[in-house]
Amino acid sequence: MLLLPALPQQLTVRGTNDAAPNRLNNPCCGLGHVAQHSVHSAKLQSKAHSQQPSRPSRSRRLQACVCGVLAATVESRPTILVSEKLGTPGLSLLEAYGNVDQSFDLTPEQLCEKAKTSDALIIRSATQVTRAVFEAANGKLKVVGRAGVGVDNVDLEAATEYGCLVVNAPTANTVAAAEHGIALLAALSRNIAQADASTKNGKWQRGKYVGVALAGKTLAIFGFGKVGAEVARRARGLGLNVIAHDPFASETKAAALHVKLVSFEEALSTAEFFSLHMPLTPGTKGIFGTEAFSKIKKGARIVNVARGGVIDDVALAKALDDKIVAGAALDVFAVEPPPADHPLVGRPDVIVTPHLGASTIEAQEGVAVEIAEAVIDALKGELAATAVNAPMVPPEVLAQLQPFVTLAQGLGRAATQLVGDSGFTDVYISYTTPRSDDLDTRLLRAMVIKGILESITTSTVNLVNADLLAKSRGLRIIESTVPSEGRGVLTSMAVSLGTGSSKFSAALDYRQRVSVAGTVKDNHPYLIRIGIFDVDLALEGTVLLCRQQDRPGIIAAVSSVLASNDINISFMSVARLDSGQDAIMALGLDHYPSDSCIQKIRGVEGIAEFCISTSS
Ligand SMILES: NC(=O)c1ccc[n+]([C@@H]2O[C@H](COP(=O)([O-])OP(=O)(O)OC[C@H]3O[C@@H](n4cnc5c(N)ncnc54)[C@H](O)[C@@H]3O)[C@@H](O)[C@H]2O)c1
Ligand SMILES: O=C(O)[C@H](O)COP(=O)(O)O
């Protein structure tokens, strides 16, 4: 006997043959007859008769499907911690949806403490969201929203491990950053900041602050992404010749802006001005170091509105001392604010701004709205378009896959519940689909993994971390598609686990894998195969699965035990290999049977094995 762990949804088993007589409502009423009829109906086919249980509305069920993807549903008003100044329009959106806690300048300890009770955290660049924050939150934190682009202040690995979605606002401050880059470029070429300070100091030093022209010079952009491209557009308007280095940029996009893509070395040796616009990653950290400055064109000027860490400050100070670099304009620093003894901040050949790239009224309103919407969507369980640590599923794909999300999770769970003591590492997921060539399986795969892992780990499993958790537990996911007729996205799905043993041996297929298959009918998930038996039962509620001899009386005996324990049967499905051979029966139960009832079922003659699956 096997008592299967709980399914998370409160659902009830039911069948599809709605026109069939409703005799199973009361197991004392003709159950044996109906069961016998079903058994003899077809070889390896089951007949199903059902009572329609009350169920959640379709819209609620679909909402639950999507919420399950991110496990980000929040029952009451969510708590949204805003740890840095956020534009008013974004705050208004957040306040309409949840309880907003605006707490600025938190110490790391205070942030951890607040994370324990916050569903969402909204930050800019000053808040360090470390592993400790996710550890303290322990799953409570569903989403971190970065009101801006750079997420280098968020430990993405830890966020993913804890199933916390990270979203950003990648577009609203692009122009502001580009404009700041251009402003610094102009200021740097004409000594604006130094001349301003000198003049305000009572001096009139026209000879000292002679600048250099931009027009006709070459600007090298490092990082030809959103900001880099906008800087290029503006720089060309100033008469600069623009080249760019970006290993991942498209030639077409560059050509459209009349920008030549070049190697790192060529950019260094060719340009008079440098503007940095790449993200801070392990690959770009300190990329402007001693070696780069040894190759740079003498007298170059550097603007950095990207991230402080991409420049090695000591190496730049040396290059300035050696007059290899003529000047620098820095908006960003490896540590912000920079310490008093920073090697660059106090120099007369360096101008600095306190990370102002995104600080225009327009950009701040834009990022605030962009991030508020993304965070609210995530809290509602919808997939955010600006997810940083989760696959992006386009809305149209999501709409098509929604009905299969519950099925995928249910199959993963059902298969896992049927595994014996030997465990498993190989997970085979097969999609029968008319769209075998372009089916995006990431969402369904994540939900199968969620179904599998939920019963064996305390970690939150969702679309964000499913693949990672599967890998960390040594699971090997093998996906395949089987072409089918039709126009839908999917006909059916099967999940098989590579294990030699099952607690319910009828669940083993011909390859000795625990195997279940299912489909979606009228937006409800159904099991259509267990092992080598075809069945037809809704993947919901409490189900009693029995393997028994195919002979009269057994089904009646089991239902009589249930009836004497006042357990209503809502649905049944019977399948057999051949007349007189093994058969399996699935009974939907309104209640979970008591221990004594289970003992009595165990005692029914002819029952070889049975198990109970329940959602409550
Ligand atoms: N100072 C500010 O206030 C401010 C404002 C906005 C953005 N930023 C920063 O500016 C940078 C760019 O932002 P974005 O929105 O354009 O990002 P983006 O992702 O659109 O562009 C970044 C580009 O850098 C490229 N890149 C990656 N590695 C590279 C490498 N080793 N060498 C050259 N290029 C490389 C990428 O291919 C990409 O095209 C980010 O670091 C962001 O945080 C700063
Ligand atoms: O990455 C960004 O978006 C910029 O660095 C802006 O940072 P901020 O929001 O702290 O101004």
Side-chain angles (χ1 to χ4, degrees), residues 82-424:
V82 178
S83 68
E84 291 178 67
K85 186 151 176 43
L86 192 69
T88 311
L91 272 178
S92 306
L93 288 176
L94 295 172
E95 276 159 358
Y97 182 72
N99 300 323
V100 178
D101 171 3
Q102 289 191 74
S103 296
F104 303 162
D105 302 320
L106 295 171
T107 64
E109 294 73 28
Q110 288 169 329
L111 181 62
C112 286
E113 204 49 42
K114 291 225 173 240
K116 292 178 187 169
T117 54
S118 299
D119 300 290
L121 166 62
I122 295 186
I123 57 163
R124 287 179 59 189
S125 58
T127 307
Q128 299 301 317
V129 191
T130 60
R131 174 171 287 276
V133 174
F134 296 106
E135 280 171 0
N138 198 21
K140 171 75 176 161
L141 200 55
K142 314 291 186 310
V143 53
V144 171
R146 162 54 163 123
V149 186
V151 287
D152 43 285
N153 50 330
V154 181
D155 187 332
L156 290 178
E157 201 178 289
T160 304
E161 275 173 39
Y162 280 86
C164 180
L165 185 71
V166 179
V167 289
N168 69 351
T171 57
N173 67 21
T174 299
V175 166
E179 287 178 349
H180 198 64
I182 294 290
L184 288 180
L185 186 70
L188 186 60
S189 68
R190 301 302 292 270
N191 304 307
I192 302 289
Q194 296 89 336
D196 174 72
S198 154
T199 310
K200 284 178 176 158
N201 220 11
K203 296 178 184 156
W204 192 254
Q205 299 178 292
R206 297 181 67 209
K208 185 172 180 186
Y209 294 120
V210 173
V212 291
L214 292 175
K217 301 280 172 53
T218 296
L219 168 70
I221 290 175
F222 290 79
F224 194 61
K226 294 184 293 297
V227 179
E230 290 304 321
V231 168
R233 205 188 296 278
R234 285 156 180 75
R236 280 190 45 80
L238 296 173
L240 282 148
N241 169 45
V242 183
I243 58 174
H245 169 70
D246 184 330
F248 314 105
S250 104
E251 288 281 0
T252 321
K253 177 182 160 190
L257 290 170
H258 304 282
V259 171
K260 186 179 165 207
L261 290 178
V262 297
S263 69
F264 188 61
E265 280 71 20
E266 187 179 342
L268 285 176
S269 60
T270 310
E272 287 85 18
F273 292 95
F274 295 85
S275 199
L276 313 189
H277 302 288
M278 68 265 267
L280 178 62
T281 65
T284 60
K285 189 163 189 273
I287 194 167
F288 283 86
T290 306
E291 199 185 333
F293 292 124
S294 72
K295 297 175 184 163
I296 206 165
K297 188 167 181 177
K298 197 163 186 316
R301 288 174 170 80
I302 299 180
V303 174
N304 186 9
V305 291
R307 281 295 178 267
V310 302
I311 292 180
D312 175 338
D313 295 336
V314 174
L316 176 55
K318 171 94 172 50
L320 286 161
D321 286 343
D322 296 346
K323 305 287 180 217
I324 291 169
V325 172
L330 309 174
D331 182 48
V332 284
F333 301 87
V335 175
E336 294 180 352
D341 61 350
H342 192 277
L344 298 166
V345 173
R347 294 182 66 111
D349 47 5
V350 174
I351 57 177
V352 289
T353 48
H355 202 147
L356 289 181
S359 294
T360 62
I361 291 166
E362 296 82 354
Q364 281 315 303
E365 288 185 353
V367 290
V369 170
E370 200 176 350
I371 206 60
E373 287 175 348
V375 165
I376 291 168
D377 281 355
L379 287 172
K380 285 179 179 166
E382 289 163 16
L383 291 172
T386 60
V388 173
N389 63 341
M392 283 185 238
V393 182
E396 60 281 6
V397 177
L398 186 61
Q400 288 176 322
L401 292 181
Q402 256 174 356
F404 293 91
V405 166
T406 314
L407 173 70
Q409 184 178 352
L411 290 177
R413 186 186 306 123
T416 310
Q417 291 171 350
L418 292 165
V419 167
D421 294 333
S422 56
F424 58 91

Side-chain angles (χ1 to χ4, degrees), residues 272-594:
E272 287 85 18
F273 292 95
F274 295 85
S275 199
L276 313 189
H277 302 288
M278 68 265 267
L280 178 62
T281 65
T284 60
K285 189 163 189 273
I287 194 167
F288 283 86
T290 306
E291 199 185 333
F293 292 124
S294 72
K295 297 175 184 163
I296 206 165
K297 188 167 181 177
K298 197 163 186 316
R301 288 174 170 80
I302 299 180
V303 174
N304 186 9
V305 291
R307 281 295 178 267
V310 302
I311 292 180
D312 175 338
D313 295 336
V314 174
L316 176 55
K318 171 94 172 50
L320 286 161
D321 286 343
D322 296 346
K323 305 287 180 217
I324 291 169
V325 172
L330 309 174
D331 182 48
V332 284
F333 301 87
V335 175
E336 294 180 352
D341 61 350
H342 192 277
L344 298 166
V345 173
R347 294 182 66 111
D349 47 5
V350 174
I351 57 177
V352 289
T353 48
H355 202 147
L356 289 181
S359 294
T360 62
I361 291 166
E362 296 82 354
Q364 281 315 303
E365 288 185 353
V367 290
V369 170
E370 200 176 350
I371 206 60
E373 287 175 348
V375 165
I376 291 168
D377 281 355
L379 287 172
K380 285 179 179 166
E382 289 163 16
L383 291 172
T386 60
V388 173
N389 63 341
M392 283 185 238
V393 182
E396 60 281 6
V397 177
L398 186 61
Q400 288 176 322
L401 292 181
Q402 256 174 356
F404 293 91
V405 166
T406 314
L407 173 70
Q409 184 178 352
L411 290 177
R413 186 186 306 123
T416 310
Q417 291 171 350
L418 292 165
V419 167
D421 294 333
S422 56
F424 58 91
T425 52
D426 288 353
V427 178
Y428 301 86
I429 309 174
S430 159
Y431 310 91
T432 303
T433 168
R435 300 242 307 260
S436 53
D437 49 345
D438 67 347
L439 180 70
D440 184 342
T441 63
R442 291 171 302 175
L443 179 58
L444 298 175
R445 181 178 70 234
M447 296 314 286
V448 170
I449 294 169
K450 181 171 163 69
I452 290 171
L453 290 184
E454 252 176 9
S455 54
I456 55 180
T457 174
T458 52
S459 306
T460 306
V461 187
N462 59 22
L463 184 60
V464 174
N465 61 5
D467 281 337
L468 183 77
L469 285 179
K471 197 171 165 205
S472 70
R473 298 195 70 100
L475 291 183
R476 210 162 65 98
I477 314 290
I478 303 114
E479 294 180 286
S480 61
T481 52
V482 179
S484 69
E485 298 291 316
R487 294 185 336 149
V489 65
L490 210 60
T491 312
S492 65
M493 273 183 75
V495 173
S496 307
L497 304 179
T499 173
S501 73
S502 172
K503 290 169 182 165
F504 187 64
S505 65
L508 291 171
D509 64 12
Y510 291 116
R511 291 172 162 150
Q512 295 300 295
R513 293 175 186 158
V514 165
S515 178
V516 289
T519 191
V520 170
K521 299 182 204 173
D522 190 24
N523 276 313
H524 301 303
Y526 278 78
L527 259 189
I528 55 172
R529 185 168 46 72
I530 298 174
I532 54 170
F533 293 90
D534 286 349
V535 295
D536 184 4
L537 54 136
L539 196 52
E540 306 170 337
T542 303
V543 184
L544 172 67
L545 282 175
C546 293
R547 182 169 65 85
Q548 75 268 6
Q549 290 167 8
D550 177 34
R551 62 173 169 80
I554 296 177
I555 295 171
V558 171
S559 44
S560 155
V561 169
L562 292 168
S564 64
N565 281 270
D566 205 21
I567 296 177
N568 198 39
I569 296 175
S570 57
F571 172 78
M572 79 173 299
S573 170
V574 182
R576 63 180 183 170
L577 283 173
D578 212 341
S579 178
Q581 293 191 3
D582 273 1
I584 66 167
M585 136 176 87
L587 298 176
L589 310 181
D590 278 2
H591 309 291
Y592 193 90
S594 65

